[in-house]
Amino acid sequence: MEEIKEEEREQAKEKDLPSFDDIDLSLLHPRERARLERSFEAQHMSHDQKERLSRITEVRFDEAMREYTGFGVGGAVEALVTVKHVKGLKAVMEFAHDSGVSYLFLGKGRNLLVRDGGMLGMVIRFGGEFCRCEMMRTSDEQAKVSVHAGVELKEFARFAEAFHLSGYERFVNLPGTVAGALQSGHSLRHLSLEHKVEEITVLNAQQKEITLQGKSLRFEGGKLKLPRTTPILRVLLKIAIQKSDEHHEERKLYPEGDVFSIAPFADPEKVEARQLIADAGLQGVRVGSARVSTLHPDFILNEGDATARDLLVLVGLVKDRVKQSSGVALEQKMIVVGNDKQR
Ligand SMILES: Cc1cc2nc3c(=O)[nH]c(=O)nc-3n(C[C@H](O)[C@H](O)[C@H](O)COP(=O)(O)OP(=O)(O)OC[C@H]3O[C@@H](n4cnc5c(N)ncnc54)[C@H](O)[C@@H]3O)c2cc1C
């Protein structure tokens, strides 16, 4: 694993990871959002750009995102790219920078909503060599595991169990990838990734691998503060070695049978979102085919043909009602991208 010198790391922080201010457009007034979106107006990819992209990577054009996201909705992305090794990712990033094509990384899409009109640019997902866990170093008490970008939380949990590494048993029932979880910031009581990260390796704007030490990383509410344009290549997690009696059987991820679902809200500091939603009497409330789960009120279910718009309207309604009943402003954790209408 490449280590970088202190000086280089400081430069990297200044040059490549400069502003940690993510704009969540979904939180803005619609008029303000439209103004901002116009100012970042993305262009369709040209025929030549598409040809060049096809030569350097595996790509599907105009691919419906509902196949790749947890809530099962979302219009088509212009180019769905799968990268299988770091060299391939570097080539795709180089293409993006040269051509000005926008891009977004995708794990399992469990915390991501693509609007119904789809999106321009590339969605980049990780396969092949990115789906590995590697044991890096062990002492008698501690192990370090390198978890690459495409590894799911449940796969990591199984890997840890096979090596008698304790503390991650409950991950077997969590949706999504390790990299996606760091960018999303969920935590369970006494269990979050924030304090387990030893290092994160990313690609900087010059396509150079940079290793950021755990101590230098910034988290806010368990969410890693890293620009969305920076790909996480792998995460080094430290784990205690001890035989654990805890064993969690894998169970269905979806709370009410085999339906698509999403948990859009962050838990406020002292109370759980699910409690506030239940107290506001919102279980079972629906907009179109999007419905607040009765069993797990922090989940919204897609009853079959929900749209992204149904979900967004329901999320707004839940926020308003919770604010009215408890005074708490629920924070939306779900990441929203794309356009309302097809372009
Ligand atoms: C302790 C703990 C508790 C959890 N509890 C819950 C829960 O209660 N409910 C629930 O729904 N989920 C829970 N999760 C799961 C988790 O928080 C996320 O929902 C999930 O991991 C998202 O992963 P994903 O692969 O689906 O990411 P996606 O939804 O695909 O992406 C999420 C974000 O990460 C970015 N991203 C993904 N991969 C990369 C990469 N390699 N480089 C850069 N950016 C990337 C995406 O661009 C996007 O911005 C929990 C996770 C943990 C660790």
Side-chain angles (χ1 to χ4, degrees), residues 33 37 42 44 62-66 73-79 113-121 123 306-310 312 336-343:
R33 194 177 82 205
E37 282 178 340
H44 281 277
D62 297 318
E63 186 74 357
M65 285 305 294
R66 62 176 168 274
V73 298
V77 63
E78 226 178 349
L113 179 75
V114 181
R115 290 197 186 88
D116 301 314
M119 55 191 287
L120 296 180
V123 167
T307 60
R309 192 170 169 70
D310 290 341
L312 288 169
V336 184
V337 294
N339 309 296
D340 288 325
K341 294 196 186 96
Q342 210 160 0
R343 301 158 53 121

Side-chain angles (χ1 to χ4, degrees), residues 166-224:
S166 71
Y168 291 94
E169 297 79 5
R170 297 177 70 188
F171 279 21
V172 81
N173 286 313
L174 293 175
T177 58
V178 172
L182 281 167
Q183 291 285 47
S184 304
H186 268 111
S187 65
L188 297 172
R189 261 186 220 97
H190 314 301
L191 186 61
S192 89
L193 281 177
E194 181 177 342
H195 305 292
K196 313 269 187 183
V197 176
E198 181 92 349
E199 291 173 1
I200 293 186
T201 303
V202 299
L203 269 195
N204 71 7
Q206 287 74 41
Q207 280 82 64
K208 201 169 154 223
E209 287 185 41
I210 302 253
T211 299
L212 305 163
Q213 299 300 317
K215 307 190 268 299
S216 70
L217 298 170
R218 284 180 53 205
F219 285 88
E220 210 174 274
K223 182 178 179 314
L224 180 64

Side-chain angles (χ1 to χ4, degrees), residues 104-112 126 149 153 171 174-181 183-188 191-193 228 230-233 262-263 298-299 335:
L104 169 83
F105 301 105
L106 179 71
K108 298 303 284 182
R110 293 291 315 178
N111 196 36
L112 191 73
F126 299 86
L153 289 156
F171 279 21
L174 293 175
T177 58
V178 172
Q183 291 285 47
S184 304
H186 268 111
S187 65
L188 297 172
L191 186 61
S192 89
L193 281 177
R228 297 243 179 97
T230 302
I232 297 173
L233 303 182
I262 196 161
D298 51 336
F299 276 84
I335 296 155

Side-chain angles (χ1 to χ4, degrees), residues 135 138-143 145 156-169 239-247:
M135 187 68 87
T138 48
S139 67
D140 286 349
E141 299 88 35
Q142 206 183 53
V145 179
F156 167 62
R158 282 196 216 105
F159 179 90
E161 191 178 28
F163 282 91
H164 304 295
L165 309 178
S166 71
Y168 291 94
E169 297 79 5
I239 316 180
I241 301 179
Q242 46 183 266
K243 242 191 157 24
S244 165
D245 295 334
E246 234 186 297
H247 174 77

Side-chain angles (χ1 to χ4, degrees), residues 277-293:
I277 296 168
D279 291 349
L282 289 162
Q283 286 141 296
V285 168
R286 58 156 58 82
V287 171
S289 292
R291 178 170 65 84
V292 177
S293 164

